Amino acid sequence: QVQLVESGGGLVQAGGSLRLSCAASGRTFMHYSVGWFRQAPGKEREFVAAIDWSGDSNTRYADSVKGRFTISRDNAKNTVYLQMNSLKPEDTAVYYCAATGFHGTYFRVGEYTYWGQGTQVTVSS
C-alpha cells in the first residue's frame, strides 16, 4: 500500500516556475514507478510526465510540457518532484501524482494504482 501527498502548487505568473512534490508513505517506494497527471475544469485527466522506479534516466513527457517540465525522484526521501518552468496559462489545472508497482513509464490513467488528492496550479496571464 502506498499513500501519496502532493504539495507545491499555487498561483504564478506566466513564465514563472513551480516545483511540485509527491511524498509517499511506505518503505518500498523505490520500487514504484510514478506519474504526474493534470486535470483542468471540464477536461479529462491528462498525462504530464512519468519516471520509472529505476531513476532519472528513464522518463517520459507529454509533448505539451517537453523541454519545460522535469520529473525526478529522491528515493531516500520517498519523494518525486515535478519542476515546472516557463509556465503558461494553459498549464492551469489540478496536478496529481500516481504510482504503480510495475517497471516502466506509463501514460494512461488506468495503468496507475495509487493516486494522491491533487494540488492546484494556477498560471495567470
Side-chain angles (χ1 to χ4, degrees), residues 47 49-52 54-61 70-72 105:
F47 170 74
I51 186 166
D52 181 54
S54 62
D56 298 350
S57 61
N58 191 359
T59 58
R60 179 190 293 219
Y61 296 92
T70 303
I71 189 170
S72 62
T105 53

Side-chain angles (χ1 to χ4, degrees), residues 13-121:
Q13 289 187 334
S17 298
L18 284 174
R19 188 177 78 158
L20 305 184
S21 298
C22 173
S25 64
R27 300 173 63 182
T28 59
F29 182 61
M30 66 174 65
H31 298 303
Y32 286 84
S33 297
V34 175
W36 283 97
F37 290 77
R38 65 187 181 187
Q39 188 166 18
K43 295 188 177 181
E44 293 187 353
R45 193 168 298 189
E46 66 174 7
F47 170 74
V48 175
I51 186 166
D52 181 54
W53 60 261
S54 62
D56 298 350
S57 61
N58 191 359
T59 58
R60 179 190 293 219
Y61 296 92
D63 288 342
S64 59
V65 307
K66 204 170 292 183
R68 300 188 297 124
F69 290 11
T70 303
I71 189 170
S72 62
R73 67 188 301 157
D74 184 340
N75 286 335
K77 295 183 178 180
N78 277 4
T79 302
V80 170
Y81 304 98
L82 185 68
Q83 177 66 44
M84 306 187 297
N85 298 328
S86 302
L87 283 161
K88 305 175 181 179
E90 51 263 44
D91 295 318
T92 295
V94 177
Y95 282 71
Y96 300 89
C97 66
T100 174
F102 292 98
H103 173 57
T105 53
Y106 301 100
F107 60 91
R108 296 184 180 90
V109 169
E111 292 172 317
Y112 290 88
T113 305
Y114 305 102
W115 291 84
Q117 294 301 305
T119 185
Q120 176 71 47
V121 172

